[in-house]
Amino acid sequence: MSSSFFYSGIAETDQNGNIISAIRAVAESKQLQMYVIKQQLGDDDANYGYENALILLAPKHKIILIDFGGDADEMDVFFDDFIEDLSSLSHKYRYKNIVGRARDWKHLITTTTINNESCDFSYIEQLLTDSKIEDPSGRKNSELLISLLTGSINDIDRIKSGVPDNILDKIKQKILLFDGDQTRFIYDSPEKKTIRIQGLSGTGKTELLLHKLKELYLNCDGKIYFACHNKILASSLRNRIPEFFNFMKVEEQIEWNSRLWCSNAWGSGGDKNSGLYSYICRHYGLTFLPYGRVASFERACKTALQDLLSIYESIDEIPPIFDYVLIDESQDFGENFFNLCEVVTKNNVYVAGDIFQSIFDADRTKVANSDYLLSKCYRTDPRTLMAAHAIGMGLFETKKLQWLEDNQWGACGYLFEKHKPEGSTTYTYQLKREPLRRFEDIETTESLEISAINTDSADKVAYIIDALEKIQKENVTATEEDIGIIFLDNSKSFYRIADVLQREVYERFGWELNKAYDSKEKTKGALFVSNKNNVKGLEFPFVICVADTITRNLGLRNSLYMSLTRSFIKTYLLIDLESNIDLIDQIAPGIDKIEKQGVIETQEPTAAEKLEIQMTIAQSTKRKTFSEIFDLVYEELDLPREHKTTLFDMAQILKKQFKAVEEQEFTAKLSNFLENNLEYL
C-alpha cells in the first residue's frame, strides 16, 4: 500500500532496493515526508548519466545525494551537474531572491556513499540525524529547494524573505510540498484508462488537476478537455489556467478551443465549445438534448452513448476526439458521463471528486473505486475540520445524522480507537487526524469560536463588525482579502443585511465589499461576502459564518460543514441562542475536547439507529422541495439574480404540477417556464 509520507521516482533494483526500502520504512515510522528521486521531477531531460546515484529529500534536513555504486569520480560529476540544474531552477522561479546564489545554499546539500546490502532502518535514521538543519533560515531554504525538485512550486512573493513572527504570516508563508499520493498522481504513468482521485475538500484536488494538465499539455500535441459541472466554476478555471501556466513558467502558448478546452459539462446546442457534451454531440452528429428537454444530465449522456453505438458497430470502433479529458468535482456527475468521456478519449480520463462533499450521501461504494485517496486536508486546521464533521453529522447529538463505517473513517483521513463500555452494545469511538506540515511548529489559538445570541439583522451586523475588529487587533498584518463572510440563509433578509454591511464596513474600515453572489468570484482588495452557494473551492485565513438556527435538515448541515471548512486559521460561527439552546448543550463539550485534545469522542449508533439514519437519508434525497428545485434550475440556467424573486413568485402557479408529476418532468417544465417568462422582465 502506498504511503502519503513517501514517494519514490526510482525503480527498486538489486543495487538500490535495501536503501529505498529503509527510507520508506523510516518515512512511515517517523511520519516524515521523504522523497527518493533521480532528477528534478517532470524533467526527463535532466539525466545525469550516473545510474548508481539517487537523491533523498526530507523537510528540515539537508538534501542528500547518495552514491550506491562507489564511483567517486562519477559522483563528483553528478554533484556538479545537480548544483547547476538546481541553480537554474532557482533562477527560473525567482527563488534566487530568497535563497541567493548557489554559493549561498550549497552547504545545504551533502553527499554520502551507502552499501546497499548493509543498509537498514537504523542507518537511514542516523543519516537523517546527522543531516538535520537546526537553523530556521536554513530549514526554510532547504524546503524551498526541495519544492523546486518535486515540482511543488511555491509563490515566492507569498513566501518572502526572513522568518515570520506572527501566526497569520507563519501559515501564509509555510512552504507547501506535495505528499506522496499527490506526487504519484502528477508524475507516475497510469496503468488504466480512467484514473479516479478522491479526497476531502481542501486536499488539493483542483491544484493537482492543474499540475497534471500542465504535464499533459507540455508532453502531448493532441487535444485536452478540462470540464466541471457548473458555469461559475468553469469560468473560474478558465481564468485560472493561464495564470497557473504563467506561474509555472510554461512557455507554450495556450491554444484555446483547438488544443485545450475548459467549460462546464453540458453546454448549449448552439455553441459546440460551450460544453463537453455539446462538443461531443456536434462532432459525432448526435441530437443535443438541452436542459429544458431532459432534466437529467445522466439521461442525456446515456442517450448519447446509445446513439454512438447505433452509429458504430462497437465501442472500439468509435474514433476518439480527445487525447485526454480532466473532470473536476466528479461527485456532481454519474457514471454515464464518465463512460461517455472514456469512449471519446484516446488516452486517459482523470476524474477528481470529493468523497465528503455531501456528508449525507447514502452511496459510498465509489470510495472503494478510487485510484488515489487523498485523506489529508491541507487547507484547514484539523480541529476545524473535525468540528465541522462532528456538527454536520450530529456526532455529539443523541440522535446522529450520519455515521461512517471503519473503512470509511479511514478513507476520510481519521485514525481511531474504539472500546465497548460495560453494558453497552456499541463502541465508543475516539477519532483524530494526523498533524499537518502547514500547522506544525505553530501555536494557534482556538480554531472555532461559537457565539450564541438572540439575533436580528442589527445584531448580525454588529457581531460581524466586532469579529472584524477582533481579527484586525489579533492579526496586525490581516487585510480585507483574508476574511470571508458566509451566510447560510438565502432569504431576502440576507441581501438586506449585505447592503447594510457594505455601508458599515466602508465607514468603519474603508473596505470595499465584494458581493460574491453577484460577482461570482473572489476579487482583490475587497471583503468577501456570500450566501452558501458561491464558496466552493475558496479559502480564507478567517471565516465569519452566520447560521441562525441549526436544524436537523440534512442540506443545511452539509452547507454548514462546507462553510466552516473555508478557513485555515479560525472560524467565527454565529447562531441564534433561543432556537439552538438544546443543540449548544450537546455540542459544547465535544467542541471543547477537539480544541484541547484534538479528538472527537462519540458513541456508535445501534444497528436500529444506523438503519433509521440510512432511511432518513434515502427519504431526504428521494425528492427535493419546490424551492430546492427552483434554486438548482435557476443556477443551471445562469439567470440574473435581480429577477429571481419575481420569477419565483410567478412560478408558484406550477406548484400543483410539482405535486402531480415526477421530479425530472417537473424540472424540465420549470426550466421552460423560467426561460419563456424572463423576456417579459
Side-chain angles (χ1 to χ4, degrees), residues 326-345:
L326 294 87
I327 302 168
D328 200 6
E329 303 293 349
S330 65
Q331 72 278 355
D332 294 330
F333 300 105
E335 287 301 310
N336 286 326
F337 175 60
F338 303 137
N339 293 338
L340 179 62
C341 290
E342 187 168 291
V343 300
V344 302
T345 303

Side-chain angles (χ1 to χ4, degrees), residues 545-557:
C545 181
V546 181
D548 288 343
T549 303
I550 302 178
T551 67
R552 291 180 63 81
N553 177 274
L554 305 186
L556 182 139
R557 293 292 182 112

Side-chain angles (χ1 to χ4, degrees), residues 225-230 234 238 261-266 273-276:
Y225 212 116
F226 196 142
C228 60
H229 187 262
N230 66 63
R238 189 176 171 91
W261 289 257
C262 180
S263 74
N264 69 314
W266 203 322
N273 294 321
S274 63
L276 177 52

Side-chain angles (χ1 to χ4, degrees), residues 110-378:
T110 186
T111 61
T112 187
T113 301
I114 298 180
N115 185 311
N116 180 65
E117 292 184 5
S118 60
C119 184
D120 58 14
F121 185 98
S122 60
Y123 188 97
I124 298 299
E125 192 175 31
Q126 186 60 50
L127 180 64
L128 288 173
T129 300
D130 295 341
S131 65
K132 192 167 185 178
I133 303 171
E134 300 296 342
D135 172 46
S137 179
R139 284 183 175 184
K140 179 176 182 177
N141 288 344
S142 173
E143 291 183 13
L144 282 170
L145 296 176
I146 291 173
S147 73
L148 288 172
L149 294 167
T150 57
S152 185
I153 308 301
N154 284 245
D155 183 352
I156 207 64
D157 293 328
R158 175 182 62 83
I159 299 300
K160 302 178 182 178
S161 60
V163 179
D165 59 0
N166 62 81
I167 292 174
L168 176 59
D169 289 341
K170 281 181 179 179
I171 296 177
K172 274 187 175 182
Q173 296 180 36
K174 191 72 175 178
I175 298 161
L176 304 179
L177 300 173
F178 293 133
D179 67 22
D181 290 325
Q182 293 171 320
T183 309
R184 274 183 284 277
F185 174 76
I186 296 171
Y187 297 113
D188 286 7
S189 299
E191 298 179 354
K192 51 191 287 196
K193 187 164 187 177
T194 296
I195 310 301
R196 296 174 185 259
I197 179 171
Q198 299 262 0
L200 297 173
S201 178
T203 50
K205 300 180 297 298
T206 303
E207 187 77 10
L208 291 183
L209 285 179
L210 290 172
H211 278 272
K212 193 69 186 183
L213 173 64
K214 184 208 73 167
E215 292 295 311
L216 297 174
Y217 196 81
L218 290 176
N219 295 292
C220 164
D221 292 330
K223 297 180 177 181
I224 305 172
Y225 212 116
F226 196 142
C228 60
H229 187 262
N230 66 63
K231 297 176 182 178
I232 296 171
L233 183 57
S235 176
S236 173
L237 284 171
R238 189 176 171 91
N239 291 330
R240 191 172 169 186
I241 287 171
E243 292 175 357
F244 178 78
F245 274 34
N246 289 337
F247 173 71
M248 294 297 293
K249 310 300 181 185
V250 175
E251 295 178 357
E252 288 192 38
Q253 185 75 22
I254 296 178
E255 299 176 32
W256 289 113
N257 297 341
S258 60
R259 278 191 63 200
L260 177 61
W261 289 257
C262 180
S263 74
N264 69 314
W266 203 322
S268 61
D271 180 5
K272 73 172 185 178
N273 294 321
S274 63
L276 177 52
Y277 165 73
S278 175
Y279 190 101
I280 292 170
C281 289
R282 288 288 294 271
H283 179 85
Y284 291 105
L286 310 179
T287 300
F288 175 84
L289 299 175
Y291 193 69
R293 283 182 56 191
V294 54
S296 167
F297 185 51
E298 266 294 271
R299 179 178 290 183
C301 293
K302 183 178 181 179
T303 302
L305 279 167
Q306 293 170 340
D307 290 347
L308 280 172
L309 288 174
S310 68
I311 297 172
Y312 301 94
E313 293 184 2
S314 69
I315 287 178
D316 293 336
E317 297 295 322
I318 299 173
I321 51 178
F322 304 113
D323 290 87
Y324 298 95
V325 168
L326 294 87
I327 302 168
D328 200 6
E329 303 293 349
S330 65
Q331 72 278 355
D332 294 330
F333 300 105
E335 287 301 310
N336 286 326
F337 175 60
F338 303 137
N339 293 338
L340 179 62
C341 290
E342 187 168 291
V343 300
V344 302
T345 303
K346 179 180 179 182
N347 296 321
N348 299 106
V349 178
Y350 293 92
V351 178
D354 189 340
I355 61 173
F356 222 85
Q357 190 73 72
S358 172
I359 59 177
F360 304 107
D361 181 0
D363 180 16
R364 299 194 178 279
T365 56
K366 56 190 176 186
V367 174
N369 298 324
S370 301
D371 300 289
Y372 296 88
L373 268 175
L374 305 180
S375 59
K376 292 183 179 180
C377 178
Y378 292 94

Side-chain angles (χ1 to χ4, degrees), residues 426-444:
T426 61
Y427 288 95
T428 295
Y429 276 69
Q430 283 201 331
L431 303 156
K432 63 181 181 179
R433 303 187 68 82
E434 290 177 343
L436 297 178
R437 285 195 68 254
R438 190 175 195 182
F439 303 99
E440 68 181 355
D441 305 326
I442 297 174
E443 300 230 352
T444 56

Side-chain angles (χ1 to χ4, degrees), residues 580-598:
N580 292 289
I581 189 69
D582 293 336
L583 178 69
I584 293 168
D585 289 340
Q586 292 184 68
I587 70 173
I591 298 297
D592 186 61
K593 191 158 195 169
I594 290 174
E595 290 290 346
K596 293 178 178 177
Q597 301 179 32

Side-chain angles (χ1 to χ4, degrees), residues 582-634:
D582 293 336
L583 178 69
I584 293 168
D585 289 340
Q586 292 184 68
I587 70 173
I591 298 297
D592 186 61
K593 191 158 195 169
I594 290 174
E595 290 290 346
K596 293 178 178 177
Q597 301 179 32
V599 171
I600 295 174
E601 187 166 285
T602 183
Q603 190 70 27
E604 178 189 18
T606 64
E609 288 169 339
K610 288 181 181 179
L611 181 60
E612 184 181 352
I613 287 170
Q614 293 308 309
M615 290 176 64
T616 301
I617 293 172
Q619 186 66 32
S620 71
T621 56
K622 188 174 292 185
R623 185 177 178 94
K624 300 180 182 69
T625 66
F626 178 85
S627 295
E628 287 172 336
I629 295 176
F630 181 89
D631 285 342
L632 288 171
V633 173
Y634 207 89

